[in-house]
């Protein structure tokens, strides 16, 4: 059952179509330009996606179901290497204290931040990944959306939302809640797809982030995200392109989603595996994700 939603940034109900994927419509608000899925599944139904299967399935490889991860758990080292760079930036912009990771998944970022001396807490809607973080990594992770958990006001120095806000049913309310629990001048760091990037515009309906329409319901640009952050009481400090460390094998296999025929990528992938280079680490910048650092207004 699909439900109609108004624009989460300006409240209007006036859109034009962007594209349609798997029967779901991606639209752009005529007033403010925010891109989002409408109509969409109810919030409870959206959250049902984040089972163990979400973190480990063949969907990306065989292209049948486009969501989640091939094998998130075995990618821990690469994920932490990508996170380490982001943590260094956070430590330049915030003093070291308490850190909340919203949508912390299996807790890899929290584990890293704790090792660097932060006092950490996570929230997560996936029961599978929350219990992994608790049991395997002995982390304090609360199950639910941030708004449901009613954490203490002004209790965190830094909040992170890595690849999360595009999944959240009510992003402005979520940002207001982040603002409430941050200390004055606290730091918020967000990574999300950049729908305004030239790669996203060029690829259109073939853009991987659009094709994840079962999980991604908002597609921000630098401007629409900055406007929403402003409404929630934040000033944007800096915006960067987000890169990510992959093994060469899976990185080359993913290219098949960006080319019209798979002949070249199949050949390149088989060559990489035959030469034993598939576990070589490469830093991939897909040019379609942004990292945004914002400060709570004092
Ligand atoms: Zn709007």
């Amino acid at each position: 059952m699909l439900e109609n939603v108004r624009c989460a940034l300006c409240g209007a109900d006036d859109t034009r179509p962007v594209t349609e994927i798997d029967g779901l419509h991606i639209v752009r608000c005529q007033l403010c330009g925010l891109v989002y899925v409408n109509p969409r599944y109810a919030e409870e139904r959206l959250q049902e996606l984040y089972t163990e299967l979400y973190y480990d399935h063949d969907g990306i490889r065989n292209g049948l179901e486009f969501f989640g991860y091939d094998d998130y758990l075995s990618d821990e080292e690469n994920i932490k290497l990508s996170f380490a760079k982001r943590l260094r930036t956070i430590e330049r912009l915030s003093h070291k204290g308490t850190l909340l990771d919203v949508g912390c998944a299996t807790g890899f970022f929290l584990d890293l931040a704790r090792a660097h001396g932060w006092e950490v807490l996570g929230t997560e809607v996936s029961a599978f990944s929350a219990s992994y973080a608790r049991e395997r990594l002995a982390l304090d992770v609360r199950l639910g959306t941030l708004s449901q958990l009613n954490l203490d006001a002004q209790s965190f120095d830094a909040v992170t939302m890595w690849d999360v806000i595009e999944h959240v049913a009510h992003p402005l309310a979520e940002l207001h809640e982040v603002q409430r629990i941050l200390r004055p001048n606290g730091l918020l760091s967000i990574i999300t797809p950049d729908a305004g990037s030239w790669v996203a515009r060029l690829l259109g309906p073939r853009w991987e982030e659009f094709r994840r329409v079962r999980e991604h319901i908002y597609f921000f640009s630098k401007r629409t995200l900055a406007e929403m952050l402003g409404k929630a009481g934040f000033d944007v400090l800096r915006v960067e392109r987000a890169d990510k460390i992959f093994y060469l094998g899976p990185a080359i296999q993913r290219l098949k989603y960006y080319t019209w025929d798979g002949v070249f990528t199949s050949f390149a992938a088989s060559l990489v595996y035959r030469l034993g280079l598939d576990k070589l680490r490469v830093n991939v910048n897909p040019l379609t994700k942004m990292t945004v650092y914002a400060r709570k207004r004092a």
Side-chain angles (χ1 to χ4, degrees):
M1 189 67 181
L2 297 174
E3 60 181 31
N4 220 73
V5 287
R6 304 180 79 90
C7 173
L9 177 54
C10 76
D13 187 13
D14 181 5
T15 61
R16 62 181 171 82
V18 173
T19 189
E20 183 191 339
I21 294 168
D22 294 342
L24 290 165
H25 295 266
I26 297 173
V27 299
R28 182 188 309 274
C29 175
Q30 299 263 49
L31 273 79
C32 73
L34 181 67
V35 177
Y36 59 104
V37 176
N38 194 37
R40 71 181 191 206
Y41 291 108
E43 188 171 5
E44 301 71 36
R45 168 80 189 271
L46 291 168
Q47 290 180 9
E48 286 170 10
L49 188 63
Y50 307 109
T51 61
E52 183 169 0
L53 184 73
Y54 181 82
Y55 295 93
D56 183 7
H57 69 115
D58 284 341
I60 292 176
R61 273 192 290 274
N62 64 28
L64 293 174
E65 289 196 305
F66 219 81
F67 69 95
Y69 298 90
D70 274 3
D71 187 355
Y72 190 82
L73 295 178
S74 73
D75 211 21
E76 178 173 350
E77 259 185 77
N78 288 334
I79 292 167
K80 280 184 169 168
L81 284 169
S82 303
F83 279 150
K85 191 175 159 189
R86 302 169 193 175
L87 186 61
R88 280 198 293 277
T89 306
I90 289 170
E91 291 183 348
R92 278 201 295 273
L93 297 172
S94 168
H95 83 270
K96 199 174 282 185
T98 47
L99 182 146
L100 174 73
D101 191 20
V102 177
C104 67
T106 48
F108 296 157
F109 180 69
L110 290 174
D111 195 34
L112 183 77
R114 180 176 58 185
H116 281 251
W118 290 82
E119 192 184 319
V120 298
L121 179 73
T123 71
E124 178 50 58
V125 298
S126 164
F128 163 74
S129 56
S131 60
Y132 183 97
R134 288 181 195 136
E135 287 158 25
R136 302 288 193 87
L137 301 175
L139 288 160
D140 186 358
V141 172
R142 314 275 169 89
L143 191 62
T145 65
L146 182 61
S147 306
Q148 286 165 349
L149 293 169
N150 200 26
L151 301 174
D152 289 343
Q154 303 198 9
S155 51
F156 293 95
D157 298 293
V159 172
T160 52
M161 300 176 82
W162 304 136
D163 304 296
V164 166
I165 197 164
E166 64 274 19
H167 303 248
V168 170
H170 305 288
L172 181 56
E174 193 87 342
L175 292 178
H176 273 295
E177 183 61 6
V178 172
Q179 204 267 359
R180 189 184 68 81
I181 62 170
L182 270 175
R183 298 206 172 100
N185 296 313
L187 182 73
L188 168 61
S189 311
I190 291 176
I191 287 185
T192 193
D194 179 3
S197 62
W198 66 266
V199 177
R201 287 163 186 265
L202 190 70
L203 291 171
R206 289 183 63 81
W207 187 33
E208 178 182 332
E209 310 297 348
F210 276 165
R211 293 172 72 193
R212 292 176 174 272
V213 72
R214 289 180 63 189
E215 54 177 316
H216 291 176
I217 52 177
Y218 291 101
F219 304 92
F220 293 92
S221 64
K222 291 184 182 78
R223 183 183 60 78
T224 55
L225 184 57
E227 284 182 17
M228 191 175 280
L229 283 164
K231 282 195 169 191
F234 290 92
D235 293 317
V236 172
L237 295 177
R238 72 155 94 174
V239 182
E240 297 170 348
R241 289 205 200 281
D243 50 8
K244 196 178 168 191
I245 291 161
F246 285 96
Y247 286 127
L248 186 57
I252 284 196
Q253 283 181 328
R254 286 168 71 88
L255 283 177
K256 69 180 173 219
Y257 299 108
Y258 296 97
T259 54
W260 294 104
D261 73 76
V263 176
F264 170 74
T265 49
S266 299
F267 171 74
S270 68
L271 192 66
V272 161
Y273 280 87
R274 224 177 305 144
L275 293 173
L277 298 174
D278 52 301
K279 285 290 169 74
L280 193 72
R281 282 204 176 94
V282 287
N283 195 351
V284 178
N285 191 332
L287 306 176
T288 66
K289 279 201 187 189
M290 52 184 167
T291 317
V292 176
Y293 298 93
R295 178 94 65 206
K296 172 177 171 170
R297 283 185 210 123

